Amino acid sequence: MVNLTEIEVVADQDPLGWRLDNTYSRLPGCLFSPAKPAEVSAPRLVILNHKLAADLGLDLTQMSADAAAALFAGQDLPDGFQPIAQAYAGHQYGGFTMLGDGRAILLGEQCSPRGRFDIQLKGAGQTQYSRRGDGRAALGPMLREYIISEAMFALGIPTTRSLAVVTTGERVYRQSQLPGAILTRVAASHIRVGTFQYLAARDDESSLRVLADYTIQRHYPELADSTNRHADFFRAVMDRQAALIARWQLVGFVHGVMNTDNVAISGETIDYGPCAFMNAFDPATVFSSIDHAGRYAYGNQPAIAQWNLARFAETLLPLLAPQQDDAIAIATDMLGQFPDLFEEYWLAGMRAKLGLQKAEVGDRDLAESLLNWMQKTKADFTNTFRDLSVDEPLTAERYGSPEFQSWNSRWQLRLSQQSRSASATRTTMRRVNPAVIPRNHRVEEALAAAENGELSLLLRLLAVLATPYNVDAESAGYQIPSDDCSYRTFCGT
Ligand code: AMP
Ligand code: MG
Protein backbone atom coordinates (compact mmCIF):
# COMPACT_ATOMS: atom_id res chain seq x y z
CA MET A 1 0.00 0.00 0.00
CA VAL A 2 1.18 3.51 -0.77
CA ASN A 3 1.95 5.18 2.51
CA LEU A 4 0.89 8.78 2.66
CA THR A 5 2.65 9.50 5.91
CA GLU A 6 6.12 8.87 4.57
CA ILE A 7 6.50 11.82 2.29
CA GLU A 8 9.36 11.49 -0.12
CA VAL A 9 10.39 15.07 0.33
CA VAL A 10 12.81 15.57 -2.46
CA ALA A 11 13.27 19.27 -2.01
CA ASP A 12 12.80 20.03 1.66
CA GLN A 13 15.22 22.91 1.59
CA ASP A 14 13.64 24.37 -1.49
CA PRO A 15 13.76 28.16 -1.30
CA LEU A 16 10.28 28.54 -2.81
CA GLY A 17 8.80 26.05 -0.37
CA TRP A 18 8.15 23.04 -2.58
CA ARG A 19 7.73 19.86 -0.53
CA LEU A 20 7.02 17.39 -3.25
CA ASP A 21 5.77 13.87 -3.29
CA ASN A 22 4.45 11.60 -6.02
CA THR A 23 2.31 8.96 -4.34
CA TYR A 24 0.10 8.55 -7.41
CA SER A 25 3.14 7.39 -9.38
CA ARG A 26 3.55 4.56 -6.90
CA LEU A 27 0.10 3.15 -7.73
CA PRO A 28 -0.33 0.37 -10.35
CA GLY A 29 1.27 1.48 -13.60
CA CYS A 30 -1.90 1.11 -15.67
CA LEU A 31 -3.30 4.20 -13.87
CA PHE A 32 -0.92 6.67 -15.51
CA SER A 33 1.76 7.25 -18.11
CA PRO A 34 4.85 9.39 -17.81
CA ALA A 35 4.31 12.72 -19.54
CA LYS A 36 6.41 15.75 -20.30
CA PRO A 37 5.14 19.28 -20.72
CA ALA A 38 5.73 20.34 -24.31
CA GLU A 39 8.38 22.93 -25.04
CA VAL A 40 6.84 26.32 -25.69
CA SER A 41 8.37 29.29 -27.42
CA ALA A 42 7.60 32.29 -25.24
CA PRO A 43 5.99 31.62 -21.86
CA ARG A 44 4.56 34.72 -20.21
CA LEU A 45 2.91 35.04 -16.85
CA VAL A 46 -0.65 36.34 -17.03
CA ILE A 47 -1.76 35.86 -13.45
CA LEU A 48 -0.42 34.27 -10.29
CA ASN A 49 -2.49 33.55 -7.19
CA HIS A 50 -0.11 34.56 -4.40
CA LYS A 51 -2.69 33.92 -1.67
CA LEU A 52 -3.19 30.36 -2.81
CA ALA A 53 0.58 29.94 -3.16
CA ALA A 54 0.98 31.01 0.47
CA ASP A 55 -1.71 28.52 1.53
CA LEU A 56 0.31 25.84 -0.23
CA GLY A 57 3.39 26.80 1.73
CA LEU A 58 4.99 28.48 -1.29
CA ASP A 59 6.54 31.92 -1.39
CA LEU A 60 6.65 33.06 -5.01
CA THR A 61 6.69 36.77 -4.23
CA GLN A 62 10.42 37.13 -4.92
CA MET A 63 10.27 35.12 -8.11
CA SER A 64 10.74 37.07 -11.35
CA ALA A 65 7.84 37.03 -13.80
CA ASP A 66 10.06 35.18 -16.29
CA ALA A 67 10.97 32.49 -13.80
CA ALA A 68 7.30 32.10 -12.80
CA ALA A 69 6.31 31.89 -16.47
CA ALA A 70 8.88 29.17 -17.12
CA LEU A 71 7.78 27.26 -14.04
CA PHE A 72 4.05 27.40 -14.77
CA ALA A 73 4.60 26.58 -18.42
CA GLY A 74 6.29 23.39 -17.23
CA GLN A 75 9.60 24.46 -18.79
CA ASP A 76 11.68 24.71 -15.67
CA LEU A 77 10.39 22.27 -13.08
CA PRO A 78 11.91 21.92 -9.63
CA ASP A 79 13.47 18.58 -8.72
CA GLY A 80 10.94 16.30 -7.17
CA PHE A 81 8.15 16.56 -9.70
CA GLN A 82 7.52 13.36 -11.68
CA PRO A 83 5.07 14.46 -14.37
CA ILE A 84 2.42 11.95 -15.40
CA ALA A 85 -0.87 11.87 -17.26
CA GLN A 86 -3.63 10.02 -15.42
CA ALA A 87 -5.76 7.34 -17.03
CA TYR A 88 -9.50 7.37 -16.54
CA ALA A 89 -12.72 6.51 -18.29
CA GLY A 90 -16.09 8.15 -18.19
CA HIS A 91 -19.68 8.28 -19.22
CA GLN A 92 -19.92 11.34 -21.42
CA TYR A 93 -23.54 12.31 -22.00
CA GLY A 94 -24.42 8.78 -21.00
CA GLY A 95 -22.00 6.99 -23.35
CA PHE A 96 -18.98 5.14 -21.95
CA THR A 97 -15.44 5.91 -23.22
CA MET A 98 -11.89 5.18 -22.12
CA LEU A 99 -10.18 8.54 -21.63
CA GLY A 100 -7.30 10.01 -19.67
CA ASP A 101 -5.52 13.32 -19.28
CA GLY A 102 -5.36 14.35 -22.91
CA ARG A 103 -4.37 17.89 -22.17
CA ALA A 104 -3.37 17.86 -18.54
CA ILE A 105 -0.19 16.77 -16.81
CA LEU A 106 0.01 16.05 -13.10
CA LEU A 107 3.36 17.37 -11.91
CA GLY A 108 3.15 15.90 -8.43
CA GLU A 109 1.81 16.58 -4.96
CA GLN A 110 2.69 19.54 -2.78
CA CYS A 111 2.71 18.56 0.90
CA SER A 112 1.57 21.79 2.47
CA PRO A 113 0.66 22.66 6.04
CA ARG A 114 -2.97 22.34 4.89
CA GLY A 115 -2.54 18.90 3.40
CA ARG A 116 -1.54 17.23 0.18
CA PHE A 117 -2.50 18.90 -3.09
CA ASP A 118 -2.09 17.85 -6.71
CA ILE A 119 -0.34 20.41 -8.88
CA GLN A 120 -1.51 19.96 -12.46
CA LEU A 121 -0.83 21.82 -15.69
CA LYS A 122 -3.83 22.03 -18.00
CA GLY A 123 -2.96 22.69 -21.65
CA ALA A 124 0.70 21.61 -21.40
CA GLY A 125 0.73 19.46 -24.55
CA GLN A 126 -0.03 15.98 -25.74
CA THR A 127 0.06 12.86 -23.60
CA GLN A 128 -0.47 9.17 -24.16
CA TYR A 129 -4.22 9.85 -23.86
CA SER A 130 -4.59 12.80 -26.24
CA ARG A 131 -6.18 10.72 -29.00
CA ARG A 132 -6.62 13.25 -31.81
CA GLY A 133 -6.47 16.31 -29.55
CA ASP A 134 -3.59 18.77 -29.54
CA GLY A 135 -3.19 18.73 -25.76
CA ARG A 136 -3.36 22.52 -25.72
CA ALA A 137 -5.68 25.08 -24.22
CA ALA A 138 -6.57 28.63 -25.15
CA LEU A 139 -6.22 31.66 -22.92
CA GLY A 140 -9.93 32.50 -22.65
CA PRO A 141 -11.09 29.15 -21.26
CA MET A 142 -8.14 28.87 -18.87
CA LEU A 143 -8.82 32.32 -17.43
CA ARG A 144 -12.49 31.43 -17.30
CA GLU A 145 -11.68 28.39 -15.14
CA TYR A 146 -9.49 30.64 -12.99
CA ILE A 147 -12.31 33.14 -12.44
CA ILE A 148 -15.10 30.67 -11.75
CA SER A 149 -13.09 28.28 -9.59
CA GLU A 150 -11.80 31.12 -7.43
CA ALA A 151 -15.33 32.54 -7.22
CA MET A 152 -16.62 29.15 -6.04
CA PHE A 153 -13.87 29.01 -3.42
CA ALA A 154 -14.82 32.47 -2.14
CA LEU A 155 -18.45 31.34 -1.96
CA GLY A 156 -17.27 28.55 0.35
CA ILE A 157 -17.99 25.73 -2.12
CA PRO A 158 -15.52 22.82 -2.35
CA THR A 159 -13.55 23.25 -5.56
CA THR A 160 -10.25 22.80 -7.31
CA ARG A 161 -8.25 26.02 -7.27
CA SER A 162 -6.29 28.02 -9.81
CA LEU A 163 -2.70 28.94 -9.05
CA ALA A 164 -1.53 30.54 -12.28
CA VAL A 165 -2.20 31.13 -15.94
CA VAL A 166 0.58 31.62 -18.47
CA THR A 167 0.45 32.15 -22.19
CA THR A 168 2.78 29.93 -24.17
CA GLY A 169 3.60 32.07 -27.17
CA GLU A 170 2.03 29.38 -29.37
CA ARG A 171 -1.27 29.63 -31.21
CA VAL A 172 -3.97 27.03 -30.77
CA TYR A 173 -6.34 26.26 -33.59
CA ARG A 174 -10.03 26.09 -32.74
CA GLN A 175 -12.72 27.82 -34.83
CA SER A 176 -10.10 30.54 -35.05
CA GLN A 177 -6.48 30.95 -33.98
CA LEU A 178 -6.24 31.71 -30.29
CA PRO A 179 -3.42 32.45 -27.86
CA GLY A 180 -2.28 29.21 -26.21
CA ALA A 181 -2.25 29.10 -22.43
CA ILE A 182 -1.66 26.80 -19.49
CA LEU A 183 -3.60 26.80 -16.23
CA THR A 184 -2.01 25.46 -13.06
CA ARG A 185 -4.77 23.65 -11.24
CA VAL A 186 -4.59 22.68 -7.60
CA ALA A 187 -6.82 19.88 -6.33
CA ALA A 188 -7.17 17.65 -3.27
CA SER A 189 -6.67 15.01 -5.96
CA HIS A 190 -7.76 14.31 -9.50
CA ILE A 191 -9.23 10.90 -8.69
CA ARG A 192 -12.60 10.72 -10.41
CA VAL A 193 -15.52 8.34 -10.65
CA GLY A 194 -14.00 7.74 -14.08
CA THR A 195 -10.72 6.59 -12.54
CA PHE A 196 -12.59 3.73 -10.86
CA GLN A 197 -14.51 3.06 -14.07
CA TYR A 198 -11.23 2.74 -15.94
CA LEU A 199 -10.10 -0.15 -13.73
CA ALA A 200 -13.55 -1.74 -13.62
CA ALA A 201 -13.71 -1.72 -17.44
CA ARG A 202 -10.34 -3.50 -17.50
CA ASP A 203 -11.62 -6.05 -14.97
CA ASP A 204 -8.63 -5.23 -12.84
CA GLU A 205 -9.94 -5.99 -9.38
CA SER A 206 -6.59 -6.00 -7.65
CA SER A 207 -5.72 -2.48 -8.89
CA LEU A 208 -9.24 -1.39 -8.00
CA ARG A 209 -8.66 -2.46 -4.41
CA VAL A 210 -5.38 -0.58 -4.31
CA LEU A 211 -6.99 2.56 -5.75
CA ALA A 212 -9.93 2.35 -3.33
CA ASP A 213 -7.66 2.00 -0.33
CA TYR A 214 -5.38 4.77 -1.56
CA THR A 215 -8.37 7.07 -2.07
CA ILE A 216 -9.74 6.23 1.37
CA GLN A 217 -6.36 7.00 2.89
CA ARG A 218 -6.13 10.25 0.99
CA HIS A 219 -9.66 11.61 1.33
CA TYR A 220 -11.50 9.57 3.96
CA PRO A 221 -8.77 8.50 6.41
CA GLU A 222 -11.35 8.15 9.20
CA LEU A 223 -12.63 5.02 7.38
CA ALA A 224 -9.27 3.25 7.17
CA ASP A 225 -10.07 0.82 9.96
CA SER A 226 -13.80 0.44 9.48
CA THR A 227 -15.03 -3.13 9.04
CA ASN A 228 -17.24 -2.29 6.06
CA ARG A 229 -14.63 0.02 4.63
CA HIS A 230 -15.76 0.00 1.01
CA ALA A 231 -19.47 0.41 1.72
CA ASP A 232 -18.62 3.24 4.11
CA PHE A 233 -16.39 4.73 1.43
CA PHE A 234 -19.24 4.75 -1.04
CA ARG A 235 -21.57 6.31 1.52
CA ALA A 236 -19.03 9.00 2.35
CA VAL A 237 -18.47 9.86 -1.32
CA MET A 238 -22.23 10.01 -1.82
CA ASP A 239 -22.56 12.28 1.20
CA ARG A 240 -19.99 14.73 -0.16
CA GLN A 241 -21.64 14.71 -3.58
CA ALA A 242 -25.06 15.40 -2.05
CA ALA A 243 -23.59 18.28 -0.03
CA LEU A 244 -21.74 19.64 -3.06
CA ILE A 245 -24.64 19.56 -5.49
CA ALA A 246 -26.88 21.17 -2.85
CA ARG A 247 -24.35 24.01 -2.63
CA TRP A 248 -24.42 24.39 -6.42
CA GLN A 249 -28.22 24.53 -6.42
CA LEU A 250 -28.24 27.10 -3.65
CA VAL A 251 -26.10 29.55 -5.63
CA GLY A 252 -27.50 28.77 -9.08
CA PHE A 253 -24.33 27.15 -10.41
CA VAL A 254 -24.77 25.08 -13.58
CA HIS A 255 -21.75 22.80 -14.07
CA GLY A 256 -22.73 22.02 -17.62
CA VAL A 257 -20.84 18.77 -18.16
CA MET A 258 -21.44 16.38 -15.28
CA ASN A 259 -19.87 13.43 -17.03
CA THR A 260 -18.55 10.76 -14.65
CA ASP A 261 -14.97 11.76 -15.52
CA ASN A 262 -15.79 15.19 -14.12
CA VAL A 263 -16.88 13.93 -10.71
CA ALA A 264 -14.06 14.15 -8.16
CA ILE A 265 -14.07 11.55 -5.39
CA SER A 266 -12.74 14.21 -3.01
CA GLY A 267 -16.07 16.05 -3.33
CA GLU A 268 -14.57 19.09 -5.02
CA THR A 269 -16.13 20.82 -8.00
CA ILE A 270 -13.86 19.98 -10.93
CA ASP A 271 -13.50 20.71 -14.65
CA TYR A 272 -14.85 24.14 -15.32
CA GLY A 273 -15.84 23.90 -18.95
CA PRO A 274 -19.22 25.14 -20.07
CA CYS A 275 -20.33 26.11 -16.55
CA ALA A 276 -22.11 29.37 -15.73
CA PHE A 277 -24.35 30.89 -13.08
CA MET A 278 -28.08 31.12 -13.64
CA ASN A 279 -29.64 34.58 -13.68
CA ALA A 280 -33.47 34.31 -13.80
CA PHE A 281 -34.58 31.26 -11.84
CA ASP A 282 -35.49 28.45 -14.19
CA PRO A 283 -34.78 24.75 -13.58
CA ALA A 284 -34.38 24.26 -17.35
CA THR A 285 -31.38 26.59 -17.48
CA VAL A 286 -28.65 25.23 -19.79
CA PHE A 287 -25.65 27.16 -21.07
CA SER A 288 -23.61 24.48 -22.83
CA SER A 289 -23.79 24.77 -26.61
CA ILE A 290 -23.92 20.99 -27.03
CA ASP A 291 -26.40 20.10 -24.29
CA HIS A 292 -29.43 20.18 -26.57
CA ALA A 293 -31.51 17.77 -24.50
CA GLY A 294 -30.77 19.61 -21.26
CA ARG A 295 -29.26 16.51 -19.66
CA TYR A 296 -27.12 18.76 -17.47
CA ALA A 297 -29.68 21.52 -16.90
CA TYR A 298 -29.71 23.23 -13.49
CA GLY A 299 -32.76 21.33 -12.29
CA ASN A 300 -31.33 17.95 -13.38
CA GLN A 301 -28.09 18.23 -11.45
CA PRO A 302 -29.22 16.28 -8.36
CA ALA A 303 -30.63 13.41 -10.44
CA ILE A 304 -27.50 13.32 -12.58
CA ALA A 305 -25.34 13.21 -9.47
CA GLN A 306 -27.27 10.13 -8.38
CA TRP A 307 -26.86 8.58 -11.83
CA ASN A 308 -23.11 9.21 -11.66
CA LEU A 309 -22.96 7.69 -8.18
CA ALA A 310 -24.71 4.61 -9.54
CA ARG A 311 -21.90 4.25 -12.06
CA PHE A 312 -19.41 4.62 -9.18
CA ALA A 313 -21.25 1.98 -7.12
CA GLU A 314 -21.03 -0.43 -10.06
CA THR A 315 -17.26 -0.18 -10.03
CA LEU A 316 -17.16 -1.02 -6.31
CA LEU A 317 -19.38 -4.11 -6.51
CA PRO A 318 -16.50 -6.62 -6.27
CA LEU A 319 -15.36 -4.90 -3.08
CA LEU A 320 -18.76 -4.72 -1.41
CA ALA A 321 -19.53 -8.44 -1.02
CA PRO A 322 -18.22 -11.80 -2.34
CA GLN A 323 -21.54 -12.57 -4.07
CA GLN A 324 -22.59 -10.14 -6.77
CA ASP A 325 -26.27 -10.28 -5.83
CA ASP A 326 -25.41 -9.28 -2.27
CA ALA A 327 -23.18 -6.49 -3.50
CA ILE A 328 -25.93 -5.16 -5.77
CA ALA A 329 -28.41 -5.21 -2.89
CA ILE A 330 -26.01 -3.24 -0.69
CA ALA A 331 -25.27 -0.71 -3.42
CA THR A 332 -28.92 -0.27 -4.39
CA ASP A 333 -29.91 0.30 -0.80
CA MET A 334 -27.22 2.95 -0.30
CA LEU A 335 -27.96 4.72 -3.58
CA GLY A 336 -31.65 4.84 -2.76
CA GLN A 337 -30.79 7.13 0.13
CA PHE A 338 -29.38 9.82 -2.14
CA PRO A 339 -32.59 11.81 -2.75
CA ASP A 340 -33.28 12.18 0.99
CA LEU A 341 -29.66 13.02 1.69
CA PHE A 342 -29.62 15.67 -1.01
CA GLU A 343 -32.93 17.07 0.20
CA GLU A 344 -31.57 17.37 3.74
CA TYR A 345 -28.59 19.41 2.58
CA TRP A 346 -30.67 21.49 0.21
CA LEU A 347 -33.37 22.24 2.73
CA ALA A 348 -30.86 23.12 5.44
CA GLY A 349 -29.28 25.52 2.93
CA MET A 350 -32.65 26.97 1.97
CA ARG A 351 -33.51 27.54 5.61
CA ALA A 352 -30.29 29.49 6.02
CA LYS A 353 -31.04 31.49 2.86
CA LEU A 354 -34.45 32.38 4.26
CA GLY A 355 -33.15 33.09 7.75
CA LEU A 356 -35.09 30.24 9.37
CA GLN A 357 -33.50 29.24 12.65
CA LYS A 358 -35.19 25.91 13.22
CA ALA A 359 -36.71 23.26 10.97
CA GLU A 360 -40.49 23.24 10.62
CA VAL A 361 -42.81 21.12 8.54
CA GLY A 362 -43.79 23.83 6.08
CA ASP A 363 -40.24 24.92 5.24
CA ARG A 364 -39.94 23.09 1.95
CA ASP A 365 -43.26 24.47 0.80
CA LEU A 366 -42.30 28.00 1.82
CA ALA A 367 -39.07 27.76 -0.21
CA GLU A 368 -40.83 26.19 -3.20
CA SER A 369 -43.54 28.84 -3.27
CA LEU A 370 -40.88 31.50 -3.53
CA LEU A 371 -39.08 29.58 -6.28
CA ASN A 372 -42.34 29.12 -8.19
CA TRP A 373 -43.00 32.84 -8.05
CA MET A 374 -39.43 33.51 -9.15
CA GLN A 375 -39.80 31.19 -12.11
CA LYS A 376 -43.10 32.75 -13.20
CA THR A 377 -41.78 36.29 -12.94
CA LYS A 378 -38.28 35.43 -14.23
CA ALA A 379 -36.82 36.92 -11.06
CA ASP A 380 -33.05 36.85 -10.71
CA PHE A 381 -32.11 33.99 -8.38
CA THR A 382 -29.14 35.63 -6.66
CA ASN A 383 -30.61 39.10 -6.36
CA THR A 384 -33.97 37.93 -5.02
CA PHE A 385 -32.36 36.16 -2.07
CA ARG A 386 -30.03 39.10 -1.53
CA ASP A 387 -32.95 41.54 -1.61
CA LEU A 388 -34.61 39.49 1.13
CA SER A 389 -31.39 39.75 3.18
CA VAL A 390 -30.77 43.49 3.19
CA ASP A 391 -32.25 46.09 5.51
CA GLU A 392 -33.74 48.24 2.75
CA PRO A 393 -37.46 47.69 1.97
CA LEU A 394 -38.44 45.69 -1.12
CA THR A 395 -39.44 48.54 -3.40
CA ALA A 396 -38.96 46.97 -6.85
CA GLU A 397 -42.21 46.71 -8.77
CA ARG A 398 -42.22 42.91 -8.96
CA TYR A 399 -42.33 42.70 -5.16
CA GLY A 400 -45.67 44.56 -5.25
CA SER A 401 -47.50 41.64 -6.91
CA PRO A 402 -50.23 39.94 -4.83
CA GLU A 403 -48.50 36.57 -5.17
CA PHE A 404 -45.25 37.87 -3.75
CA GLN A 405 -47.03 39.86 -1.05
CA SER A 406 -48.88 36.80 0.08
CA TRP A 407 -45.64 34.77 0.17
CA ASN A 408 -43.91 37.57 2.04
CA SER A 409 -46.64 37.70 4.71
CA ARG A 410 -46.22 33.96 5.27
CA TRP A 411 -42.46 34.34 5.52
CA GLN A 412 -42.68 37.35 7.83
CA LEU A 413 -45.07 35.49 10.11
CA ARG A 414 -42.63 32.58 10.29
CA LEU A 415 -39.73 34.95 11.04
CA SER A 416 -41.72 36.79 13.71
CA GLN A 417 -42.06 33.54 15.67
CA GLN A 418 -38.27 33.24 16.00
CA SER A 419 -36.29 34.37 19.00
CA ARG A 420 -33.82 36.62 17.23
CA SER A 421 -34.47 40.09 15.87
CA ALA A 422 -35.30 40.71 12.22
CA SER A 423 -32.10 42.64 11.82
CA ALA A 424 -30.01 39.81 13.31
CA THR A 425 -31.75 37.40 10.96
CA ARG A 426 -30.89 39.53 7.96
CA THR A 427 -27.27 39.68 9.06
CA THR A 428 -27.09 35.88 9.04
CA MET A 429 -28.82 35.78 5.65
CA ARG A 430 -26.22 38.09 4.15
CA ARG A 431 -23.57 35.53 5.05
CA VAL A 432 -25.17 32.88 2.85
CA ASN A 433 -26.86 34.87 0.08
CA PRO A 434 -24.10 36.26 -2.11
CA ALA A 435 -24.36 39.78 -3.45
CA VAL A 436 -22.06 39.02 -6.35
CA ILE A 437 -21.56 35.97 -8.51
CA PRO A 438 -19.57 35.77 -11.75
CA ARG A 439 -22.19 37.32 -14.03
CA ASN A 440 -21.72 36.06 -17.57
CA HIS A 441 -21.36 39.47 -19.21
CA ARG A 442 -18.76 40.51 -16.62
CA VAL A 443 -16.78 37.32 -17.20
CA GLU A 444 -16.93 37.78 -20.97
CA GLU A 445 -15.87 41.43 -20.84
CA ALA A 446 -12.91 40.57 -18.58
CA LEU A 447 -11.84 37.71 -20.88
CA ALA A 448 -12.13 39.82 -24.02
CA ALA A 449 -9.95 42.54 -22.48
CA ALA A 450 -7.43 39.99 -21.20
CA GLU A 451 -7.14 38.47 -24.67
CA ASN A 452 -6.11 41.94 -25.82
CA GLY A 453 -3.48 42.14 -23.12
CA GLU A 454 -5.51 44.37 -20.80
CA LEU A 455 -5.84 42.76 -17.38
CA SER A 456 -7.44 45.49 -15.28
CA LEU A 457 -11.03 44.26 -15.75
CA LEU A 458 -10.02 40.71 -14.88
CA LEU A 459 -8.24 41.84 -11.72
CA ARG A 460 -11.20 43.99 -10.67
CA LEU A 461 -13.62 41.16 -11.27
CA LEU A 462 -11.47 38.75 -9.26
CA ALA A 463 -11.24 41.25 -6.41
CA VAL A 464 -15.03 41.71 -6.30
CA LEU A 465 -15.66 37.95 -6.47
CA ALA A 466 -13.21 37.33 -3.63
CA THR A 467 -15.71 38.77 -1.11
CA PRO A 468 -19.07 37.74 -2.57
CA TYR A 469 -21.06 38.34 0.59
CA ASN A 470 -20.00 41.99 0.98
CA VAL A 471 -21.01 44.83 -1.26
CA ASP A 472 -19.57 48.29 -1.48
CA ALA A 473 -19.97 51.07 -3.99
CA GLU A 474 -17.55 49.32 -6.34
CA SER A 475 -19.09 45.86 -6.28
CA ALA A 476 -22.66 47.15 -6.56
CA GLY A 477 -22.23 47.39 -10.34
CA TYR A 478 -21.40 43.68 -10.42
CA GLN A 479 -24.85 42.73 -9.09
CA ILE A 480 -26.63 43.56 -12.32
CA PRO A 481 -27.82 40.35 -13.98
CA SER A 482 -26.65 39.31 -17.42
CA ASP A 483 -29.35 39.60 -20.03
CA ASP A 484 -28.46 36.28 -21.53
CA CYS A 485 -31.16 33.76 -22.28
CA SER A 486 -29.07 32.92 -25.33
CA TYR A 487 -25.69 32.84 -23.57
CA ARG A 488 -23.76 29.80 -24.75
CA THR A 489 -20.68 28.19 -23.31
CA PHE A 490 -18.32 25.68 -24.90
CA CYS A 491 -16.74 22.42 -23.77
CA GLY A 492 -13.18 21.17 -24.03
CA THR A 493 -12.04 24.47 -25.44
P1 AMP B 1 -13.19 17.76 -20.70
O1 AMP B 1 -14.30 18.14 -21.60
O2 AMP B 1 -12.19 18.86 -20.45
O3 AMP B 1 -13.64 17.12 -19.42
O4 AMP B 1 -12.34 16.67 -21.49
C1 AMP B 1 -12.83 15.41 -21.85
C2 AMP B 1 -11.68 14.56 -22.36
O5 AMP B 1 -11.14 15.11 -23.57
C3 AMP B 1 -10.52 14.47 -21.39
O6 AMP B 1 -9.99 13.16 -21.44
C4 AMP B 1 -9.54 15.46 -21.92
O7 AMP B 1 -8.23 15.17 -21.55
C5 AMP B 1 -9.76 15.37 -23.43
N1 AMP B 1 -9.41 16.62 -24.12
C6 AMP B 1 -10.09 17.79 -24.09
N2 AMP B 1 -9.47 18.72 -24.83
C7 AMP B 1 -8.37 18.15 -25.35
C8 AMP B 1 -7.31 18.57 -26.21
N3 AMP B 1 -7.25 19.83 -26.68
N4 AMP B 1 -6.34 17.68 -26.53
C9 AMP B 1 -6.39 16.43 -26.06
N5 AMP B 1 -7.34 15.95 -25.27
C10 AMP B 1 -8.33 16.79 -24.90
MG1 MG C 1 -12.92 16.48 -17.79
Side-chain angles (χ1 to χ4, degrees), residues 88 92 99-104 122 129-137 174 192 257 259 261-262 271 491-493:
Y88 50 86
Q92 303 192 300
L99 298 159
D101 287 332
R103 57 153 177 179
K122 198 165 165 181
Y129 311 106
S130 296
R131 295 175 292 171
R132 282 185 300 280
D134 61 2
R136 310 278 185 173
R174 300 292 183 258
R192 308 144 188 269
V257 59
N259 294 332
D261 51 303
N262 294 338
D271 267 357
C491 268
T493 36

Side-chain angles (χ1 to χ4, degrees), residues 29-31 87 96 98 196-205 207:
C30 59
L31 279 168
F96 184 78
M98 296 299 254
F196 284 82
Q197 288 183 290
Y198 177 81
L199 294 176
R202 294 164 54 106
D203 248 336
D204 186 349
E205 194 185 314
S207 299

